[in-house]
Amino acid sequence: MAEAIKPIQIALVGAGLYAQNAHLPALLALREHFEIVAVYSRTRAAATSLARRIGDHVAIYTELPPLLARPEIEAVDIMLPIPIQADFVAAALQAGKHVISEKPIAPDSDAARRLLAQHERQPGNVWMVAENWRYEEAFERAAQFIADGVIGRPVIAQWSRFAALKPGNPYYGTEWRRSGFAGGLLLDGVVHLVAALRLVLGEIDSVVSRVDLVAPDLPPADTLAAVLSFAGGVTASLLVSYAVETPWGTPLTIVGAQGSLRVDRGLVEIARHGAQVERIECGKLHGVQRELAAFAAAIRHGSAHRNTPAAALRDLAVIEAMLAAAHLPGQKVNL
């Protein structure tokens, strides 16, 4: 009889909203894979509050080095503000831990490349950059439909998302999101869309864009209009704003030579020429749990996963290209 595989002892680094609302529930649902043994936060109250939801055995830390010094802790789940997270990733990798760190990979490409160079010197460490949209079933299914030629050669695509971040929204209260760090909310949010687009349509070669600050309390930018050119020949428009909102959603729509796809979290629709629209219901808002399961499989079995640091660096490079293109009106920026 095969011996049971021991759960991975993991520490949570960060006790903010996303740790509370996404990562902790996902890890608790994966008890056969993970045992949470420690929580770090710069404030003891926040760490204690999160630890209470896990159990009495959880150690609480307000300093990172003592946590990383514990040899029985195999992995760390890092969920900290974008401007400071890279230093914590570097420390965890240096300590020989397996790491899953929230997107984006770093605040800028230079910092990301330094982390990648460090990781390459420690090939035994699994490092996953947590991009949950790559593990949403609808985008997985859409990518497979495109690869299988279900709508023929994809030609053009569009995606519009408008979700205002206003006082009263819990994430508005996270002041770092409104602190004016490079990229601001566009880096924090649009990176999800870039990851999904690259999963479904492949590599992005060049961009043309315009970026605006509409709400003065959301610096440095909250609104984006971009045209993306893909290596496979697809042209896509991307419209995003965190300053204004509408009750109407506009899912990712891809039009091909023999039909079209419409994709949103939880749903894929296929329209083939001469046929009725086919609706395919998918799992929804489960990407965090699925990526954490993939993280466990990578640690225990060496399994491949989608959220490689190299993929995350490319996501970041696309965002940086869109921000750069905004300073060159009408001009294309190549990646």
Side-chain angles (χ1 to χ4, degrees):
M1 184 174 179
E3 184 179 348
I5 298 176
K6 183 180 178 182
I8 297 159
Q9 294 202 354
I10 192 169
L12 305 185
V13 177
L17 286 173
Y18 207 62
Q20 299 168 32
N21 299 336
H23 280 245
L24 178 58
L27 286 166
L28 293 177
L30 295 168
R31 293 178 192 270
E32 73 275 20
H33 298 299
F34 295 102
E35 179 187 4
I36 305 170
V37 297
V39 175
Y40 162 88
S41 177
R42 62 184 177 84
T43 61
R44 179 167 290 276
T48 300
S49 177
L50 194 65
R52 284 198 189 107
R53 294 174 55 186
I54 304 165
D56 295 336
H57 66 286
V58 177
I60 294 168
Y61 294 88
T62 57
E63 299 289 340
L64 189 64
L67 183 156
L68 295 178
R70 289 179 55 182
E72 69 275 20
I73 293 178
E74 299 176 70
V76 291
D77 184 356
I78 304 178
M79 304 154 287
L80 294 171
I82 293 171
I84 66 169
Q85 179 162 268
D87 289 342
F88 287 76
V89 174
L93 291 173
Q94 183 63 38
K97 306 302 184 185
H98 302 296
V99 176
I100 182 168
S101 57
E102 261 302 325
K103 57 76 200 165
I105 183 174
D108 57 70
S109 288
D110 287 342
R113 290 189 189 97
R114 288 193 295 271
L115 288 175
L116 271 140
Q118 179 180 348
H119 184 235
E120 288 170 359
R121 295 192 295 269
Q122 299 158 300
N125 292 12
V126 174
W127 177 24
M128 173 186 276
V129 179
E131 178 42 76
N132 55 306
W133 286 52
R134 275 200 188 87
Y135 279 88
E136 286 283 335
E137 183 188 353
F139 296 108
E140 290 179 353
R141 298 285 293 271
Q144 192 60 55
F145 287 137
I146 294 292
D148 291 343
V150 168
I151 63 168
R153 182 178 70 84
V155 176
I156 198 162
Q158 64 175 355
W159 202 358
S160 302
R161 293 183 63 87
F162 311 110
L165 186 67
K166 296 179 178 179
N169 183 313
Y171 288 96
Y172 186 91
T174 53
E175 293 183 5
W176 67 268
R177 286 187 167 86
R178 298 180 286 107
S179 67
F181 69 94
L185 290 174
L186 298 181
L187 175 58
D188 188 38
V190 177
V191 71
H192 285 307
L193 310 186
V194 169
L197 284 167
R198 291 182 56 236
L199 174 66
V200 176
L201 293 173
E203 288 301 339
I204 297 167
D205 277 350
S206 65
V207 301
V208 177
S209 70
R210 173 171 174 167
V211 168
D212 289 314
L213 177 63
V214 176
D217 55 342
L218 301 177
D222 54 31
T223 300
L224 165 75
V227 176
L228 314 177
S229 297
F230 289 77
V234 179
T235 300
S237 67
L238 179 64
L239 302 176
V240 181
S241 182
Y242 299 104
V244 294
E245 60 189 2
T246 172
W248 301 296
T250 306
L252 170 59
T253 302
I254 304 165
V255 183
Q258 298 172 22
S260 55
L261 287 175
R262 193 159 65 165
V263 191
D264 207 349
R265 298 170 85 182
L267 177 67
V268 178
E269 294 179 288
I270 306 173
R272 298 180 179 89
H273 294 334
Q276 289 187 329
V277 173
E278 179 183 358
R279 288 174 54 90
I280 302 171
E281 302 285 342
C282 304
K284 184 177 181 180
L285 305 179
H286 58 176
V288 172
Q289 183 170 328
R290 296 181 79 215
E291 72 185 353
L292 281 163
F295 181 52
I299 293 171
R300 285 290 184 252
H301 308 296
S303 304
H305 63 83
R306 296 190 197 106
N307 284 343
T308 65
L313 174 57
R314 186 70 177 184
D315 294 340
L316 175 58
V318 174
I319 300 293
E320 290 180 333
M322 289 192 287
L323 295 173
H327 296 289
L328 303 166
Q331 294 188 41
K332 179 173 65 175
V333 170
N334 295 317
L335 280 95

